[in-house]
Amino acid sequence: MNSQAGDSLRRRVAELLVLRASGHLSDQQRRYPQWELSNSELQRLLQEGVGGAILLGGSAVELRQRTQQLEGWSNKRLLFCADVEEGVGQRFEGASWLVPPLALGRLQQRDPELALDLSERYGRCTGEQARRCGLNWVLGPVCDVNNNPANPVINVRAWGEDPNSASALAVAFLRGLKQAGVLGCAKHFPGHGDTTSDSHLDLPVLPHSRQRLEQIELPPFRAAIAAGVDSVMTAHLVLPKLDPQQPATLSKAVLTDLLRRQMGFNGLVVTDALVMEAISARHGAAEAAVLAFEAGADLILMPADADAAIDGLCDGFSSGRLSLARLDESLQRRADALASIPTDAPSGPIVTAADQALEAELVRHSITVSGAAVRPEAGINLVRVDALLPSAAALSCWSPALRIPETQGFRSVVLHGEGLSPWSGQPDAPLALDRLGEGSVLLQLFLRGNPFRAGRDAQEPWAAAIQQMVALNRLAGVVIYGSPYLLDSLQLVLPSGCPVAYSAGQMQEAQCQVLTALFPKAAPPGNSGAFTD
C-alpha cells in the first residue's frame, strides 16, 4: 500500500474512534488525566481524523465552548456524547440533574400514564439541554432490566425492574430525545441488569439461556430498535450460552448474529469504553479494537491507547483480517446518523422554566416520607456520602442536607469514602458514637449503585448501626437518597413511628423537598458550618 493510500485508510479508520475528553477547556482542569487526553493530543488526533469525543466535567456553559473548540480542531462534523442518563446536570454543573430512571420504573407500577408522560418529558429535557451545550448524542436510555437488587453498577440507572416497565419507559424517553433532535443509545446490550459484579472492574458472567434472555433481557432492546433507536452500546460481560469465549463486546455471535441478523438492528453499534478492566485487563488496545470491529461494532469508544487502536485496525484492514466493505458500512452508518439530526444549536438559556418545573415534579413523585416529624434538638446530622460522582456532587457546604438540619440544632458530620471510618469494629455496636458526640442522630445516607464501588457500600453495617442507636434511644430519623434496595433492607430494623424518608434523587431539589417534609417548621436555612472528617 502506497503512502497516500495508507494515509487515507488511517483517516478513515480514525473516524471510528470516540475518545474521552474533559469538559473543561484547559489541561490543568482535567479530573481524570489517566483517561482524558491532553489538548495537544486531542488536537493532533482530531486533525488526523478521529470522529468524536465523550465528555465529562465542567459546567454546561463551558461545555458549549468546549465542543466548539474541539470541532474547530477537526475538518469534519464530530459526534459529541456524554453519559447523561439522568439529565445533562448529572455530569455538567448548571444543567438539570433529574431523578434516576428507576424512580419512574417504580412510579409506573402505581400510575403508568403519568410515568410514561414524565419519561418522555425527561428525554426531551435531556435532549434539548444536550443540544444547547453542543452535544448531539445522548448515551441513554439504559435498557438493562434491573431485576437483581444486588447489582452494583446498574441499579437505579435502569428504567425498570421488569421487562415491560423497562421497555415502555425507555421508548418514551427515546421519543423525547427524537423530539429534541439528538441521537439516542440503548445500552448495555444484551443486558447488564442481572449481574453482581461491575464490568468497570471485572468481567461479569450472565449464565442464562437464550430462552431466558428473550423473556427478560432482550425485550427492552427489541422495543428500542422498533422505536428507531440510533445506536446500541455493547456490554462487557460473558454469555456462555451464546459465546463461551468472548464477552459481548468482542463476540460476533452477540453483535452480528443476534443483534444485526436476528434482531434486525441497522444503526450504529458502539462499544462500551474499552479502557474498562473487563476488556483492558485481558487485551491490548490494538487487539481489543480489532476484536470489537471484527465482532460487529462500528464505533470504538475510549480505547486504552488511541494510536495503538488505529494502528491495529489499519493492520487488520491491510492484512485482509478485517473487511474494507465493513469499514464502508460503518462509516456510512456514522454519516447517516449525523445527517439525521440538526446541525445548529438552539438559542436561549440552557435551563428553561419548564425544565426547572420538571425537576421538581420528578422529585415530588419519587419521594416518600413516613412517621413523625423530626424534633428540633441539639443532635448530630450524620451524613454518609460517596466520594465518587455523582454523589459527591450532591453535597456542598450549602446543601439543604446540611443547612436545614443545622437550623434545627443538628451539628453536621460528613463521612465519605476516603475519610475516617465511623466504625468501631464491634459487631453489636458498630458505630463509634463516642467519636460523634452527644445527642440524637439524624442519619442521612447518600448511597446508590455507582460504578467503581464494587458494591462496597452494601457491605457497610447500617442495619446494625440503626439497631444500636434505637437501643440507646438516639435515633432521630433516617433519610436515604439513592437505592430503594437499601431502604427495603433497613425497613426491617426501623421502629414504628420513626421519621423515615426516601428519595431516589440525590440533588439539591430532592434534599430540600425531603427535609422540608421532615422539618415542617424549619426556617429558611442559613450558611452552613459543617464539619467534614
Side-chain angles (χ1 to χ4, degrees):
M1 183 181 296
N2 61 43
S3 176
Q4 185 174 2
D7 289 346
S8 174
L9 175 63
R10 187 174 181 83
R11 291 193 66 84
R12 297 177 73 222
V13 166
E15 200 167 333
L16 304 177
L17 269 61
V18 179
L19 304 182
R20 172 73 171 266
S22 170
H24 292 288
L25 290 168
S26 79
D27 286 342
Q28 289 73 25
Q29 295 172 293
R30 285 184 296 165
R31 295 181 183 176
Y32 307 100
Q34 73 272 33
W35 298 325
E36 295 166 353
L37 300 179
S38 67
N39 280 338
S40 61
E41 292 174 301
L42 279 171
Q43 186 167 10
R44 174 182 65 82
L45 287 162
L46 288 170
Q47 289 172 345
E48 291 177 4
V50 161
I54 176 173
L55 296 113
L56 172 65
S59 71
V61 172
E62 189 175 16
L63 177 62
R64 184 157 49 188
Q65 298 171 309
R66 179 63 158 166
T67 53
Q68 292 170 352
Q69 178 190 57
L70 295 175
E71 198 142 55
W73 292 342
S74 176
N75 63 356
K76 65 168 67 72
R77 189 179 180 194
L78 299 175
L79 286 165
F80 287 123
C81 62
D83 282 309
V84 288
E85 301 162 2
E86 299 170 24
V88 175
Q90 180 191 15
R91 303 298 186 194
F92 305 98
E93 296 173 6
S96 295
W97 183 11
L98 307 177
V99 300
L102 193 60
L104 291 174
R106 292 207 160 188
L107 175 64
Q108 208 256 0
Q109 306 305 315
R110 309 190 305 270
D111 192 335
E113 187 175 341
L114 176 60
L116 287 170
D117 176 66
L118 287 171
S119 299
E120 184 172 329
R121 290 164 58 196
Y122 192 125
R124 188 166 64 249
C125 169
T126 301
E128 289 174 348
Q129 290 188 16
R131 278 191 64 201
R132 293 183 198 122
C133 294
L135 301 175
N136 51 29
W137 187 16
V138 169
L139 298 182
V142 169
C143 285
D144 307 310
V145 179
N146 199 76
N147 65 327
N148 186 341
N151 194 317
V153 63
I154 302 301
N155 204 276
V156 295
R157 298 165 61 195
W159 284 94
E161 296 161 292
D162 66 85
N164 291 333
S165 294
S167 299
L169 298 177
V171 167
F173 176 86
L174 280 171
R175 282 198 299 271
L177 291 185
K178 287 185 177 295
Q179 292 163 16
V182 294
L183 303 173
C185 182
K187 61 186 189 184
H188 307 79
F189 185 82
H192 206 320
D194 193 14
T195 59
T196 55
S197 58
D198 180 359
S199 52
H200 293 84
L201 304 171
D202 201 357
L203 183 58
V205 176
L206 199 65
H208 302 313
S209 67
R210 174 63 186 272
Q211 181 181 10
R212 151 61 196 252
L213 293 175
E214 289 288 355
Q215 292 173 342
I216 305 295
E217 279 77 17
L218 296 181
F221 292 97
R222 290 192 182 279
I225 291 168
V229 70
D230 307 283
S231 62
V232 170
M233 179 180 286
T234 68
H236 300 334
L237 51 82
V238 174
L239 298 101
K241 303 296 185 185
L242 299 184
D243 187 337
Q245 303 298 324
Q246 295 287 17
T249 295
L250 310 180
S251 171
K252 187 173 183 180
V254 175
L255 301 189
T256 298
D257 296 343
L258 175 58
L259 181 59
R260 290 277 190 222
R261 293 174 183 161
Q262 297 172 33
M263 297 178 66
F265 179 62
N266 295 315
L268 282 166
V269 175
V270 56
T271 70
D272 204 346
L274 293 187
V275 75
M276 291 162 61
E277 290 290 321
I279 301 297
S280 63
R282 293 163 176 81
H283 301 281
E287 184 66 5
V290 170
L291 287 170
F293 188 86
E294 198 170 35
D298 298 300
L299 299 178
I300 307 301
L301 178 67
M302 285 180 65
D305 182 323
D307 289 302
I310 295 170
D311 289 341
L313 288 164
C314 286
D315 289 345
F317 289 115
S318 299
S319 69
R321 176 181 176 180
L322 302 177
S323 163
L324 286 170
R326 268 271 289 117
L327 176 60
D328 292 337
E329 290 174 8
S330 293
L331 293 176
Q332 188 60 53
R333 289 190 186 106
R334 179 188 179 279
D336 290 345
L338 279 170
S340 71
I341 55 175
T343 58
D344 59 316
S347 59
I350 291 171
V351 179
T352 67
D355 295 337
Q356 292 175 324
L358 177 63
E359 290 180 60
E361 186 177 359
L362 286 167
V363 169
R364 191 165 63 251
H365 289 296
S366 63
I367 63 174
T368 59
V369 180
S370 61
V374 179
R375 297 193 309 272
E377 59 181 296
I380 301 159
N381 177 33
L382 182 60
V383 182
R384 168 69 172 94
V385 62
D386 275 349
L388 297 174
L389 289 173
S391 297
L395 206 66
S396 63
C397 62
W398 55 84
S399 294
L402 303 179
R403 296 171 70 190
I404 291 178
E406 286 166 3
T407 66
Q408 302 300 293
F410 288 85
R411 178 178 63 89
S412 293
V413 177
V414 180
L415 304 167
H416 56 77
E418 307 304 322
L420 180 68
S421 171
W423 309 116
S424 68
Q426 302 299 318
D428 296 331
L431 200 60
L433 286 169
D434 56 320
R435 297 184 206 160
L436 301 178
E438 299 297 323
S440 296
V441 178
L442 172 65
L443 180 62
Q444 298 193 73
L445 302 177
F446 287 78
L447 298 175
R448 51 172 279 170
N450 270 342
F452 300 102
R453 296 292 294 170
R456 287 192 295 273
D457 302 330
Q459 302 164 16
E460 296 178 352
W462 289 112
I466 287 172
Q467 290 176 306
Q468 173 189 2
M469 288 184 280
V470 170
L472 296 172
N473 197 29
R474 292 190 61 180
L475 184 63
V478 176
V479 185
I480 296 169
Y481 304 92
S483 173
Y485 308 115
L486 178 60
L487 174 65
D488 293 343
S489 67
L490 295 183
Q491 290 282 18
L492 301 174
V493 299
L494 290 168
S496 175
C498 176
V500 178
Y502 168 73
S503 168
Q506 299 180 328
M507 63 287 297
Q508 311 272 319
E509 175 66 29
Q511 298 169 35
C512 192
Q513 288 195 31
V514 163
L515 291 169
T516 299
L518 282 180
F519 293 101
K521 296 182 180 179
N527 291 330
S528 171
F531 165 73
T532 304
D533 73 88

